[in-house]
mmCIF file of all heavy atoms in Angstrom:
data_model
loop_
_atom_site.group_PDB
_atom_site.id
_atom_site.type_symbol
_atom_site.label_atom_id
_atom_site.label_comp_id
_atom_site.label_asym_id
_atom_site.label_seq_id
_atom_site.Cartn_x
_atom_site.Cartn_y
_atom_site.Cartn_z
ATOM 1 N N MET A 1 -1.874 7.131 -7.160
ATOM 2 C CA MET A 1 -2.399 8.256 -6.408
ATOM 3 C C MET A 1 -3.929 8.293 -6.501
ATOM 4 O O MET A 1 -4.499 8.808 -5.577
ATOM 5 C CB MET A 1 -1.758 9.564 -6.899
ATOM 6 C CG MET A 1 -0.359 9.835 -6.453
ATOM 7 S SD MET A 1 -0.121 9.558 -4.645
ATOM 8 C CE MET A 1 -0.144 11.240 -4.204
ATOM 9 N N LYS A 2 -4.515 7.783 -7.568
ATOM 10 C CA LYS A 2 -6.015 7.915 -7.679
ATOM 11 C C LYS A 2 -6.652 7.101 -6.582
ATOM 12 O O LYS A 2 -7.602 7.538 -5.989
ATOM 13 C CB LYS A 2 -6.324 7.395 -9.000
ATOM 14 C CG LYS A 2 -6.000 8.229 -10.145
ATOM 15 C CD LYS A 2 -6.471 7.567 -11.524
ATOM 16 C CE LYS A 2 -6.008 8.630 -12.621
ATOM 17 N NZ LYS A 2 -6.492 8.124 -13.838
ATOM 18 N N THR A 3 -6.003 5.949 -6.155
ATOM 19 C CA THR A 3 -6.592 5.170 -5.127
ATOM 20 C C THR A 3 -6.562 5.870 -3.772
ATOM 21 O O THR A 3 -7.480 5.900 -3.045
ATOM 22 C CB THR A 3 -5.862 3.801 -5.042
ATOM 23 O OG1 THR A 3 -5.904 3.134 -6.268
ATOM 24 C CG2 THR A 3 -6.404 2.859 -3.928
ATOM 25 N N GLY A 4 -5.457 6.536 -3.502
ATOM 26 C CA GLY A 4 -5.339 7.288 -2.278
ATOM 27 C C GLY A 4 -6.375 8.386 -2.245
ATOM 28 O O GLY A 4 -6.937 8.661 -1.131
ATOM 29 N N LYS A 5 -6.486 9.165 -3.324
ATOM 30 C CA LYS A 5 -7.491 10.181 -3.293
ATOM 31 C C LYS A 5 -8.862 9.655 -3.133
ATOM 32 O O LYS A 5 -9.689 10.272 -2.452
ATOM 33 C CB LYS A 5 -7.414 10.976 -4.670
ATOM 34 C CG LYS A 5 -6.109 11.862 -4.713
ATOM 35 C CD LYS A 5 -6.125 12.595 -6.006
ATOM 36 C CE LYS A 5 -4.811 13.387 -6.182
ATOM 37 N NZ LYS A 5 -4.816 14.185 -7.313
ATOM 38 N N PHE A 6 -9.201 8.553 -3.698
ATOM 39 C CA PHE A 6 -10.492 7.918 -3.573
ATOM 40 C C PHE A 6 -10.757 7.526 -2.125
ATOM 41 O O PHE A 6 -11.853 7.863 -1.570
ATOM 42 C CB PHE A 6 -10.661 6.751 -4.547
ATOM 43 C CG PHE A 6 -11.975 6.004 -4.362
ATOM 44 C CD1 PHE A 6 -13.092 6.615 -4.967
ATOM 45 C CD2 PHE A 6 -11.993 4.824 -3.693
ATOM 46 C CE1 PHE A 6 -14.370 5.910 -4.762
ATOM 47 C CE2 PHE A 6 -13.232 4.186 -3.597
ATOM 48 C CZ PHE A 6 -14.360 4.760 -4.143
ATOM 49 N N ILE A 7 -9.806 6.974 -1.523
ATOM 50 C CA ILE A 7 -9.965 6.432 -0.132
ATOM 51 C C ILE A 7 -10.193 7.611 0.808
ATOM 52 O O ILE A 7 -11.018 7.693 1.628
ATOM 53 C CB ILE A 7 -8.742 5.607 0.300
ATOM 54 C CG1 ILE A 7 -8.718 4.275 -0.393
ATOM 55 C CG2 ILE A 7 -8.766 5.475 1.809
ATOM 56 C CD1 ILE A 7 -7.412 3.486 -0.255
ATOM 57 N N SER A 8 -9.337 8.766 0.539
ATOM 58 C CA SER A 8 -9.560 9.920 1.366
ATOM 59 C C SER A 8 -10.883 10.598 1.108
ATOM 60 O O SER A 8 -11.524 11.018 2.126
ATOM 61 C CB SER A 8 -8.413 10.964 0.859
ATOM 62 O OG SER A 8 -7.177 10.413 1.141
ATOM 63 N N ALA A 9 -11.431 10.568 -0.069
ATOM 64 C CA ALA A 9 -12.630 11.143 -0.328
ATOM 65 C C ALA A 9 -13.863 10.347 0.429
ATOM 66 O O ALA A 9 -14.715 10.919 0.963
ATOM 67 C CB ALA A 9 -12.955 11.173 -1.775
ATOM 68 N N VAL A 10 -13.655 9.042 0.321
ATOM 69 C CA VAL A 10 -14.686 8.137 0.963
ATOM 70 C C VAL A 10 -14.668 8.370 2.528
ATOM 71 O O VAL A 10 -15.713 8.474 3.171
ATOM 72 C CB VAL A 10 -14.416 6.672 0.621
ATOM 73 C CG1 VAL A 10 -15.236 5.793 1.470
ATOM 74 C CG2 VAL A 10 -14.661 6.467 -0.835
ATOM 75 N N VAL A 11 -13.473 8.318 3.092
ATOM 76 C CA VAL A 11 -13.310 8.555 4.435
ATOM 77 C C VAL A 11 -13.879 9.913 5.005
ATOM 78 O O VAL A 11 -14.634 10.088 5.873
ATOM 79 C CB VAL A 11 -11.856 8.433 4.945
ATOM 80 C CG1 VAL A 11 -11.643 8.886 6.434
ATOM 81 C CG2 VAL A 11 -11.421 7.048 4.799
ATOM 82 N N ALA A 12 -13.516 10.984 4.164
ATOM 83 C CA ALA A 12 -14.064 12.310 4.432
ATOM 84 C C ALA A 12 -15.588 12.389 4.363
ATOM 85 O O ALA A 12 -16.225 12.953 5.259
ATOM 86 C CB ALA A 12 -13.396 13.308 3.524
ATOM 87 N N GLY A 13 -16.085 11.765 3.334
ATOM 88 C CA GLY A 13 -17.586 11.753 3.122
ATOM 89 C C GLY A 13 -18.335 10.981 4.270
ATOM 90 O O GLY A 13 -19.279 11.481 4.753
ATOM 91 N N ALA A 14 -17.636 9.815 4.696
ATOM 92 C CA ALA A 14 -18.266 9.049 5.773
ATOM 93 C C ALA A 14 -18.141 9.804 7.054
ATOM 94 O O ALA A 14 -19.223 9.830 7.781
ATOM 95 C CB ALA A 14 -17.499 7.751 5.882
ATOM 96 N N ALA A 15 -17.080 10.567 7.316
ATOM 97 C CA ALA A 15 -16.952 11.288 8.449
ATOM 98 C C ALA A 15 -17.942 12.482 8.464
ATOM 99 O O ALA A 15 -18.597 12.664 9.560
ATOM 100 C CB ALA A 15 -15.490 11.856 8.653
ATOM 101 N N ALA A 16 -18.086 13.179 7.464
ATOM 102 C CA ALA A 16 -19.037 14.272 7.425
ATOM 103 C C ALA A 16 -20.398 13.796 7.561
ATOM 104 O O ALA A 16 -21.215 14.464 8.288
ATOM 105 C CB ALA A 16 -18.837 15.014 6.056
ATOM 106 N N GLY A 17 -20.755 12.646 6.879
ATOM 107 C CA GLY A 17 -22.125 12.119 7.023
ATOM 108 C C GLY A 17 -22.351 11.707 8.418
ATOM 109 O O GLY A 17 -23.478 11.977 9.015
ATOM 110 N N ALA A 18 -21.467 11.041 9.029
ATOM 111 C CA ALA A 18 -21.702 10.569 10.445
ATOM 112 C C ALA A 18 -21.856 11.743 11.406
ATOM 113 O O ALA A 18 -22.777 11.634 12.287
ATOM 114 C CB ALA A 18 -20.541 9.666 10.856
ATOM 115 N N ILE A 19 -21.002 12.765 11.290
ATOM 116 C CA ILE A 19 -21.138 13.846 12.144
ATOM 117 C C ILE A 19 -22.410 14.692 11.982
ATOM 118 O O ILE A 19 -23.030 15.056 12.956
ATOM 119 C CB ILE A 19 -19.879 14.779 12.004
ATOM 120 C CG1 ILE A 19 -18.714 14.102 12.520
ATOM 121 C CG2 ILE A 19 -20.041 16.155 12.616
ATOM 122 C CD1 ILE A 19 -17.289 14.768 12.278
ATOM 123 N N LEU A 20 -22.794 14.895 10.673
ATOM 124 C CA LEU A 20 -24.081 15.623 10.399
ATOM 125 C C LEU A 20 -25.266 14.785 10.956
ATOM 126 O O LEU A 20 -26.181 15.393 11.548
ATOM 127 C CB LEU A 20 -24.259 15.910 8.947
ATOM 128 C CG LEU A 20 -23.312 16.902 8.340
ATOM 129 C CD1 LEU A 20 -23.395 17.028 6.846
ATOM 130 C CD2 LEU A 20 -23.648 18.277 9.000
ATOM 131 N N GLY A 21 -25.218 13.536 10.757
ATOM 132 C CA GLY A 21 -26.234 12.674 11.317
ATOM 133 C C GLY A 21 -26.352 12.758 12.778
ATOM 134 O O GLY A 21 -27.520 12.820 13.311
ATOM 135 N N ILE A 22 -25.253 12.749 13.512
ATOM 136 C CA ILE A 22 -25.279 12.887 14.917
ATOM 137 C C ILE A 22 -25.767 14.248 15.350
ATOM 138 O O ILE A 22 -26.572 14.372 16.329
ATOM 139 C CB ILE A 22 -23.880 12.537 15.490
ATOM 140 C CG1 ILE A 22 -23.551 11.071 15.249
ATOM 141 C CG2 ILE A 22 -23.820 12.807 16.998
ATOM 142 C CD1 ILE A 22 -22.202 10.693 15.571
ATOM 143 N N LEU A 23 -25.221 15.266 14.668
ATOM 144 C CA LEU A 23 -25.563 16.649 15.104
ATOM 145 C C LEU A 23 -27.127 16.935 14.927
ATOM 146 O O LEU A 23 -27.675 17.644 15.649
ATOM 147 C CB LEU A 23 -24.772 17.699 14.321
ATOM 148 C CG LEU A 23 -23.329 17.770 14.682
ATOM 149 C CD1 LEU A 23 -22.581 18.668 13.758
ATOM 150 C CD2 LEU A 23 -23.094 18.210 16.155
ATOM 151 N N PHE A 24 -27.726 16.346 13.905
ATOM 152 C CA PHE A 24 -29.116 16.605 13.765
ATOM 153 C C PHE A 24 -30.062 15.706 14.428
ATOM 154 O O PHE A 24 -31.279 15.671 14.439
ATOM 155 C CB PHE A 24 -29.470 16.531 12.173
ATOM 156 C CG PHE A 24 -29.015 17.803 11.484
ATOM 157 C CD1 PHE A 24 -27.895 17.732 10.753
ATOM 158 C CD2 PHE A 24 -29.607 18.989 11.623
ATOM 159 C CE1 PHE A 24 -27.427 18.845 10.054
ATOM 160 C CE2 PHE A 24 -29.205 20.089 11.011
ATOM 161 C CZ PHE A 24 -28.048 20.157 10.243
ATOM 162 N N ALA A 25 -29.436 14.581 15.149
ATOM 163 C CA ALA A 25 -30.365 13.729 15.985
ATOM 164 C C ALA A 25 -30.804 14.417 17.247
ATOM 165 O O ALA A 25 -30.017 15.270 17.766
ATOM 166 C CB ALA A 25 -29.450 12.522 16.316
ATOM 167 N N PRO A 26 -32.098 14.143 17.585
ATOM 168 C CA PRO A 26 -32.541 14.843 18.803
ATOM 169 C C PRO A 26 -32.156 14.215 20.120
ATOM 170 O O PRO A 26 -32.820 13.592 20.808
ATOM 171 C CB PRO A 26 -34.059 14.643 18.619
ATOM 172 C CG PRO A 26 -34.238 13.360 17.813
ATOM 173 C CD PRO A 26 -32.995 13.266 16.962
ATOM 174 N N ASP A 27 -30.858 14.529 20.447
ATOM 175 C CA ASP A 27 -30.316 14.026 21.653
ATOM 176 C C ASP A 27 -29.804 15.198 22.535
ATOM 177 O O ASP A 27 -29.629 16.343 22.029
ATOM 178 C CB ASP A 27 -29.125 13.051 21.466
ATOM 179 C CG ASP A 27 -29.595 11.774 21.096
ATOM 180 O OD1 ASP A 27 -30.649 11.229 21.472
ATOM 181 O OD2 ASP A 27 -28.795 11.056 20.436
ATOM 182 N N LYS A 28 -29.459 14.946 23.860
ATOM 183 C CA LYS A 28 -28.975 16.001 24.627
ATOM 184 C C LYS A 28 -27.482 16.242 24.175
ATOM 185 O O LYS A 28 -26.879 15.370 23.646
ATOM 186 C CB LYS A 28 -28.921 15.501 26.102
ATOM 187 C CG LYS A 28 -30.372 15.335 26.694
ATOM 188 C CD LYS A 28 -30.198 14.812 28.163
ATOM 189 C CE LYS A 28 -31.501 14.548 28.810
ATOM 190 N NZ LYS A 28 -31.490 14.080 30.016
ATOM 191 N N GLY A 29 -27.005 17.439 24.534
ATOM 192 C CA GLY A 29 -25.673 17.736 24.168
ATOM 193 C C GLY A 29 -24.569 16.732 24.595
ATOM 194 O O GLY A 29 -23.633 16.468 23.960
ATOM 195 N N ASN A 30 -24.727 16.276 25.844
ATOM 196 C CA ASN A 30 -23.750 15.325 26.433
ATOM 197 C C ASN A 30 -23.750 14.027 25.595
ATOM 198 O O ASN A 30 -22.765 13.548 25.348
ATOM 199 C CB ASN A 30 -24.179 15.007 27.870
ATOM 200 C CG ASN A 30 -23.027 14.296 28.617
ATOM 201 O OD1 ASN A 30 -21.913 14.379 28.227
ATOM 202 N ND2 ASN A 30 -23.397 13.522 29.551
ATOM 203 N N GLU A 31 -24.981 13.612 25.195
ATOM 204 C CA GLU A 31 -25.027 12.353 24.496
ATOM 205 C C GLU A 31 -24.487 12.557 23.087
ATOM 206 O O GLU A 31 -23.751 11.670 22.506
ATOM 207 C CB GLU A 31 -26.545 11.880 24.385
ATOM 208 C CG GLU A 31 -27.090 11.285 25.702
ATOM 209 C CD GLU A 31 -26.293 10.052 26.160
ATOM 210 O OE1 GLU A 31 -25.968 9.211 25.338
ATOM 211 O OE2 GLU A 31 -25.970 10.024 27.370
ATOM 212 N N THR A 32 -24.754 13.694 22.528
ATOM 213 C CA THR A 32 -24.210 14.076 21.200
ATOM 214 C C THR A 32 -22.746 13.999 21.222
ATOM 215 O O THR A 32 -22.073 13.490 20.252
ATOM 216 C CB THR A 32 -24.827 15.428 20.642
ATOM 217 O OG1 THR A 32 -26.234 15.353 20.634
ATOM 218 C CG2 THR A 32 -24.297 15.777 19.349
ATOM 219 N N ARG A 33 -22.077 14.616 22.193
ATOM 220 C CA ARG A 33 -20.688 14.739 22.272
ATOM 221 C C ARG A 33 -20.095 13.314 22.398
ATOM 222 O O ARG A 33 -19.048 13.021 21.766
ATOM 223 C CB ARG A 33 -20.220 15.604 23.444
ATOM 224 C CG ARG A 33 -20.405 17.126 23.167
ATOM 225 C CD ARG A 33 -19.766 17.984 24.189
ATOM 226 N NE ARG A 33 -20.375 17.773 25.525
ATOM 227 C CZ ARG A 33 -21.455 18.422 25.881
ATOM 228 N NH1 ARG A 33 -22.161 19.307 25.117
ATOM 229 N NH2 ARG A 33 -21.962 18.305 27.116
ATOM 230 N N LYS A 34 -20.781 12.416 23.200
ATOM 231 C CA LYS A 34 -20.289 11.077 23.314
ATOM 232 C C LYS A 34 -20.342 10.376 21.992
ATOM 233 O O LYS A 34 -19.336 9.616 21.605
ATOM 234 C CB LYS A 34 -21.100 10.348 24.429
ATOM 235 C CG LYS A 34 -20.732 10.744 25.855
ATOM 236 C CD LYS A 34 -21.681 9.923 26.758
ATOM 237 C CE LYS A 34 -21.442 10.381 28.178
ATOM 238 N NZ LYS A 34 -22.384 9.652 29.127
ATOM 239 N N LYS A 35 -21.476 10.564 21.255
ATOM 240 C CA LYS A 35 -21.593 9.939 19.976
ATOM 241 C C LYS A 35 -20.504 10.422 18.991
ATOM 242 O O LYS A 35 -19.943 9.620 18.234
ATOM 243 C CB LYS A 35 -22.985 10.176 19.391
ATOM 244 C CG LYS A 35 -24.051 9.387 20.057
ATOM 245 C CD LYS A 35 -25.403 9.622 19.449
ATOM 246 C CE LYS A 35 -26.493 8.812 20.077
ATOM 247 N NZ LYS A 35 -27.799 8.979 19.442
ATOM 248 N N ILE A 36 -20.292 11.703 18.983
ATOM 249 C CA ILE A 36 -19.337 12.278 18.102
ATOM 250 C C ILE A 36 -17.867 11.738 18.411
ATOM 251 O O ILE A 36 -17.139 11.369 17.508
ATOM 252 C CB ILE A 36 -19.262 13.889 18.139
ATOM 253 C CG1 ILE A 36 -20.533 14.398 17.497
ATOM 254 C CG2 ILE A 36 -17.987 14.453 17.493
ATOM 255 C CD1 ILE A 36 -20.709 15.958 17.660
ATOM 256 N N SER A 37 -17.702 11.687 19.722
ATOM 257 C CA SER A 37 -16.402 11.063 20.092
ATOM 258 C C SER A 37 -16.204 9.618 19.760
ATOM 259 O O SER A 37 -15.145 9.206 19.287
ATOM 260 C CB SER A 37 -16.289 11.184 21.694
ATOM 261 O OG SER A 37 -15.029 10.552 22.147
ATOM 262 N N LYS A 38 -17.281 8.797 19.894
ATOM 263 C CA LYS A 38 -17.274 7.453 19.476
ATOM 264 C C LYS A 38 -17.061 7.327 17.968
ATOM 265 O O LYS A 38 -16.240 6.501 17.469
ATOM 266 C CB LYS A 38 -18.507 6.778 19.887
ATOM 267 C CG LYS A 38 -18.794 5.456 19.418
ATOM 268 C CD LYS A 38 -18.311 4.396 20.398
ATOM 269 C CE LYS A 38 -18.739 3.000 19.948
ATOM 270 N NZ LYS A 38 -17.891 2.358 19.003
ATOM 271 N N LYS A 39 -17.828 8.111 17.242
ATOM 272 C CA LYS A 39 -17.609 8.077 15.753
ATOM 273 C C LYS A 39 -16.270 8.449 15.332
ATOM 274 O O LYS A 39 -15.745 7.853 14.398
ATOM 275 C CB LYS A 39 -18.643 8.948 15.146
ATOM 276 C CG LYS A 39 -20.079 8.406 14.894
ATOM 277 C CD LYS A 39 -20.053 7.267 14.062
ATOM 278 C CE LYS A 39 -21.463 6.641 13.835
ATOM 279 N NZ LYS A 39 -21.601 5.393 13.162
ATOM 280 N N GLY A 40 -15.748 9.467 15.979
ATOM 281 C CA GLY A 40 -14.348 9.906 15.701
ATOM 282 C C GLY A 40 -13.295 8.788 15.906
ATOM 283 O O GLY A 40 -12.469 8.500 15.066
ATOM 284 N N ALA A 41 -13.551 8.004 16.996
ATOM 285 C CA ALA A 41 -12.682 6.999 17.391
ATOM 286 C C ALA A 41 -12.841 5.841 16.256
ATOM 287 O O ALA A 41 -11.858 5.259 15.838
ATOM 288 C CB ALA A 41 -12.908 6.467 18.695
ATOM 289 N N ASP A 42 -14.027 5.549 15.872
ATOM 290 C CA ASP A 42 -14.310 4.548 14.852
ATOM 291 C C ASP A 42 -13.651 4.871 13.517
ATOM 292 O O ASP A 42 -13.160 4.111 12.931
ATOM 293 C CB ASP A 42 -15.840 4.263 14.724
ATOM 294 C CG ASP A 42 -16.554 3.703 15.901
ATOM 295 O OD1 ASP A 42 -15.777 3.249 16.822
ATOM 296 O OD2 ASP A 42 -17.727 3.758 16.052
ATOM 297 N N ILE A 43 -13.907 6.187 13.206
ATOM 298 C CA ILE A 43 -13.302 6.622 11.844
ATOM 299 C C ILE A 43 -11.885 6.476 11.908
ATOM 300 O O ILE A 43 -11.146 6.107 10.996
ATOM 301 C CB ILE A 43 -13.788 8.050 11.531
ATOM 302 C CG1 ILE A 43 -15.350 7.957 11.167
ATOM 303 C CG2 ILE A 43 -13.059 8.623 10.388
ATOM 304 C CD1 ILE A 43 -16.003 9.288 11.070
ATOM 305 N N ASN A 44 -11.163 6.967 13.036
ATOM 306 C CA ASN A 44 -9.751 6.903 13.281
ATOM 307 C C ASN A 44 -9.257 5.486 13.086
ATOM 308 O O ASN A 44 -8.297 5.254 12.386
ATOM 309 C CB ASN A 44 -9.405 7.515 14.610
ATOM 310 C CG ASN A 44 -7.891 7.601 14.836
ATOM 311 O OD1 ASN A 44 -7.105 7.590 13.930
ATOM 312 N ND2 ASN A 44 -7.493 7.661 16.068
ATOM 313 N N GLU A 45 -9.943 4.542 13.760
ATOM 314 C CA GLU A 45 -9.585 3.084 13.594
ATOM 315 C C GLU A 45 -9.690 2.628 12.172
ATOM 316 O O GLU A 45 -8.795 1.959 11.684
ATOM 317 C CB GLU A 45 -10.437 2.300 14.591
ATOM 318 C CG GLU A 45 -10.100 0.881 14.474
ATOM 319 C CD GLU A 45 -8.637 0.435 14.928
ATOM 320 O OE1 GLU A 45 -8.038 1.185 15.747
ATOM 321 O OE2 GLU A 45 -8.048 -0.515 14.391
ATOM 322 N N SER A 46 -10.852 3.049 11.492
ATOM 323 C CA SER A 46 -10.972 2.665 10.172
ATOM 324 C C SER A 46 -9.864 3.233 9.188
ATOM 325 O O SER A 46 -9.498 2.450 8.386
ATOM 326 C CB SER A 46 -12.359 3.184 9.663
ATOM 327 O OG SER A 46 -12.513 2.933 8.319
ATOM 328 N N VAL A 47 -9.520 4.418 9.417
ATOM 329 C CA VAL A 47 -8.458 4.973 8.611
ATOM 330 C C VAL A 47 -7.169 4.394 8.899
ATOM 331 O O VAL A 47 -6.358 4.061 7.923
ATOM 332 C CB VAL A 47 -8.344 6.570 8.882
ATOM 333 C CG1 VAL A 47 -7.067 7.163 8.273
ATOM 334 C CG2 VAL A 47 -9.545 7.308 8.409
#
Side-chain angles (χ1 to χ4, degrees):
M1 282 309 258
K2 291 181 181 181
T3 303
K5 288 181 181 180
F6 177 75
I7 291 171
S8 297
V10 169
V11 170
I19 290 171
L20 286 174
I22 291 169
L23 289 174
F24 285 105
D27 283 331
K28 294 179 183 178
N30 191 29
E31 289 298 316
T32 300
R33 286 189 295 276
K34 285 180 184 177
K35 286 182 180 180
I36 290 173
S37 177
K38 171 99 172 78
K39 281 293 182 187
D42 291 346
I43 291 170
N44 185 21
E45 180 61 30
S46 176
V47 169

